[in-house]
Amino acid sequence: MPFPQLTVHRHDRRNRALITLAGEIDLESVPLVRTALTRCLYDGIRSVDVDLSAVTFCDCTGLNTFLYAAQQTVESGGTLRLHHPPPTLRRILDLTGCGALLLAPALGRPEPSPEEVPAGQAPPRRPVAPGSVLSGDA
């Protein structure tokens, strides 16, 4: 059995973690992703940012893992946000409508006014500058 073509790095700052993934997220490598995200909760991390800028591929098993981790994080009183998803994952998020659950707001995009937010829907979170993601200032 070949080794998964994925590397996982974690950087903590107080109660926040930045998980940086590089390579392919698929059936073989998704256990690494699941373990990294689950370990954050066990370690008391309640705000998890996942940098996907070096991910070259992500299939529906990766999406399922991110959705489950986000649910577990929210139930623990935290947040999990994906940043810079690859085109394959972006397409899956668009097709399934899960982008609002997982994606961090784009920097520099103006937030809608309260009148533009449909009734019963929470307004989006404010954008967070990359430098503040780990500083605890967000």
Side-chain angles (χ1 to χ4, degrees):
M1 179 175 175
F3 289 104
Q5 297 296 312
L6 182 73
T7 58
V8 179
H9 296 280
R10 177 175 153 186
H11 181 78
D12 294 355
R13 169 76 50 83
R14 298 185 192 133
N15 66 340
R16 300 183 69 92
L18 174 63
I19 304 290
T20 303
L21 304 174
E24 297 180 0
I25 303 172
D26 56 20
L27 189 58
E28 289 184 18
S29 63
V30 82
L32 294 172
V33 177
R34 188 180 308 115
T35 299
L37 297 174
T38 301
R39 181 158 289 154
C40 287
L41 290 179
Y42 287 136
D43 293 344
I45 301 295
R46 293 297 176 259
S47 184
V48 180
D49 292 288
V50 182
D51 180 4
L52 301 169
S53 57
V55 170
T56 56
F57 176 79
C58 182
D59 65 12
C60 59
T61 59
L63 173 62
N64 188 42
T65 299
F66 291 130
L67 286 170
Y68 181 76
Q71 178 186 6
Q72 296 300 308
T73 305
V74 167
E75 288 175 2
S76 297
T79 59
L80 182 139
R81 291 288 179 230
L82 304 181
H83 302 267
H84 315 292
T88 54
L89 181 56
R90 172 71 69 178
R91 178 82 170 130
I92 294 170
L93 290 168
D94 289 343
L95 289 172
T96 60
C98 294
L101 298 172
L102 295 172
L103 294 176
L107 295 175
R109 182 178 295 168
E111 292 185 32
S113 67
E115 300 83 38
E116 296 174 313
V117 177
Q121 182 180 346
R125 298 173 184 205
R126 65 179 177 83
V128 177
S132 67
V133 167
L134 290 175
S135 69
D137 297 336

